[in-house]
Amino acid sequence: MAVDSDGPARTGGTGVVPGRLVSGAGWGAVATVLMSVVMLFGMLTGVAPLPNPVPVALVARTVGALPQPVLVGLAVLAHLAYGAVAAAVLAGLVRRVSVWIGLGYGVLLWGLLGLVWLPYLSWGLFGIAVTPRIAVATLLPHLVYGLTLGLVLDRHHAPRRRTTGIGGEAR
């Protein structure tokens, strides 16, 4: 029977490895880019009936009227930062991120969007004040985000040692 080692020692008694947070943030930014591509593709094809990309709408609502290039630039930075921080939190809280945990985390973040951010935009819970299709249109990119994290987050750390559990011989 094979047993995975725990990998590097945890630091400071907190259970958090600083490199893991950095890795989580980096992969979170990558996952955010991928989910943004899905969102923009959905908007361009009409599949996602969003009045505006959600990050652009949030920045506009929060800071007010800005020139379009500034607004879009701030929205891109805010979305990348949000995705990076969210993934760093996942990496810090969950010892081993699987595809299922990543997908679940994507759904959790989608729930946060639907219950907090879309109502903040006056779009209603999950965007239903605009159209119920927004709920599904925002779920898919969040699943892409979570799937990406589930696929890559724990696959790019130092290889885990495998032992047989009998005599401690490494495979």
Side-chain angles (χ1 to χ4, degrees), residues 23-93:
S23 177
W27 285 117
V30 169
T32 301
V33 168
L34 293 175
M35 80 178 289
S36 297
V37 167
V38 170
M39 177 189 63
L40 291 173
F41 179 77
M43 289 184 69
L44 291 172
T45 60
V47 173
L50 301 168
N52 288 305
V54 174
V56 172
L58 286 169
V59 170
R61 167 97 167 136
T62 303
V63 300
L66 293 171
Q68 190 68 13
V70 174
L71 180 64
V72 170
L74 281 175
V76 167
L77 289 175
H79 197 220
L80 286 172
Y82 187 86
V85 169
V89 167
L90 176 65
L93 292 176

Side-chain angles (χ1 to χ4, degrees), residues 76-120:
V76 167
L77 289 175
H79 197 220
L80 286 172
Y82 187 86
V85 169
V89 167
L90 176 65
L93 292 176
V94 178
R95 185 179 206 138
R96 303 215 181 173
V97 179
S98 67
V99 168
W100 292 112
I101 289 172
L103 286 170
Y105 196 60
V107 170
L108 177 74
L109 293 174
W110 171 73
L112 182 65
L113 172 76
L115 296 172
V116 175
W117 299 117
L118 296 181
Y120 172 72

